[in-house]
Amino acid sequence: SEQYTAAQLKEILTVGSKEIDFIEYMEEFLEKAKSKLKENTIGSYRTVINHIVDFQKGAPLSVSSINSRYVKEFMEYLQQPREINRTGGVNSSQKMKRITKMVSSNSLYTAYFRFLRMFESCKDHYNDEELNIIRVPQNPFSKVEPPIMKNTKPRTLTIEEVRKIRDYQPTTWNETVGKNIFMMSFFLCGINIIDIKKNIIHTSDRLEYNRSKIENKRRDSGFI
């Protein structure tokens, strides 16, 4: 016991036997990550958290229950059509239901590694090998083959296809937003959604911005 401080002994004796709420931990992880990661990366973590919550159907998720079988079943779940409930709309408060599934191998790849990253962070947070405190001993992802990321095929639209989108009359709020964002991006020479959000309100006669995806990778900061 001489290797532990009083605070560490208290942690071992009073907390060590309690189940770790993984959903609660994911929310804490995301909150801390907001100051370090880009907005689109944060969004991908939020998506995976939402999917895990959906998969649980309102039930809590303890870290000890996350094994290789759980991970496999979750990845299979993502590939099945399912109804999800989300908030959205103009004020981000409108309740919406829609049928969805992940069909892209790249989306599955991202979901797998976002889940893995949060689980590994949880292990790092609760385990201390030097003090022999191991509250999360399992490594479920070691027995689950990650999805293969495939090269994205060029998605070039014909002039006629762009005209069809321009002239299409939306029937839902989601369709209206999708069409308007597409046409805005088209008219602004392929600007990304994240750069529309960050820059469109700051412009007057001319839109000038640093493209988020490459601004830290080029000498010109991705100036457009």
Side-chain angles (χ1 to χ4, degrees):
S1 61
E2 293 180 358
Q3 61 181 318
Y4 303 114
T5 65
Q8 290 166 343
L9 279 173
K10 180 181 178 181
E11 172 74 12
I12 295 170
L13 295 173
T14 62
V15 183
S17 60
K18 294 181 180 179
E19 288 285 359
I20 301 169
D21 185 333
F22 189 66
I23 292 177
E24 181 179 312
Y25 179 79
M26 289 191 295
E27 293 293 347
E28 294 174 356
F29 171 92
L30 190 63
E31 191 61 34
K32 292 178 181 178
K34 286 180 179 178
S35 61
K36 303 176 184 178
L37 302 177
K38 291 185 177 181
E39 188 173 351
N40 57 341
T41 303
I42 292 295
S44 67
Y45 274 109
R46 167 51 61 194
T47 297
V48 175
I49 293 172
N50 288 342
H51 286 317
I52 292 175
V53 171
D54 292 338
F55 185 51
Q56 288 300 114
K57 297 180 180 179
L61 176 61
S62 64
V63 170
S64 62
S65 66
I66 301 175
N67 51 30
S68 59
R69 180 179 179 181
Y70 182 94
V71 176
K72 290 176 182 177
E73 290 179 349
F74 174 67
M75 297 305 295
E76 291 171 358
Y77 163 82
L78 293 180
Q79 300 174 68
Q80 303 301 318
R82 61 196 182 280
E83 184 180 272
I84 62 173
N85 296 291
R86 295 289 184 267
T87 57
V90 177
N91 298 316
S92 297
S93 59
Q94 179 182 346
K95 297 290 184 180
M96 298 181 294
K97 289 185 178 181
R98 66 177 187 270
I99 302 297
T100 186
K101 68 175 180 178
M102 281 190 176
V103 294
S104 164
S105 60
N106 291 0
S107 295
L108 288 171
Y109 177 93
T110 299
Y112 176 93
F113 282 101
R114 294 289 185 259
F115 190 1
L116 170 62
R117 176 69 187 92
M118 288 187 287
F119 186 82
E120 288 183 336
S121 175
C122 185
K123 290 187 69 170
D124 290 341
H125 179 76
Y126 286 103
N127 292 350
D128 190 327
E129 294 181 358
E130 291 183 356
L131 299 178
N132 199 30
I133 301 174
I134 307 297
R135 296 188 62 196
V136 187
Q138 75 271 32
N139 187 17
F141 290 85
S142 65
K143 296 182 179 181
V144 182
E145 287 291 331
I148 298 174
M149 178 175 280
K150 299 179 180 178
N151 292 329
T152 304
K153 294 181 180 179
R155 291 171 287 189
T156 304
L157 297 178
T158 65
I159 294 176
E160 185 57 34
E161 287 171 330
V162 174
R163 285 174 177 158
K164 286 181 178 179
I165 296 173
R166 180 198 63 186
D167 298 335
Y168 175 72
Q169 297 301 311
T171 58
T172 66
W173 182 86
N174 283 348
E175 286 187 352
T176 301
V177 172
K179 173 187 172 180
N180 290 344
I181 291 294
F182 172 84
M183 293 309 302
M184 186 183 298
S185 175
F186 178 78
F187 290 134
L188 293 174
C189 302
I191 189 174
N192 288 332
I193 292 177
I194 187 173
D195 289 318
I196 291 178
K197 181 178 179 181
K198 288 173 59 177
N199 299 283
I200 203 67
I201 62 173
H202 302 303
T203 188
S204 52
D205 297 328
R206 179 181 176 88
L207 174 61
E208 298 180 349
Y209 66 97
N210 295 328
R211 190 177 177 204
S212 300
K213 190 174 182 179
I214 56 175
E215 64 178 333
N216 295 322
K217 299 178 181 179
R218 289 190 355 192
R219 291 183 178 179
D220 66 353
S221 298
F223 179 75
I224 303 294

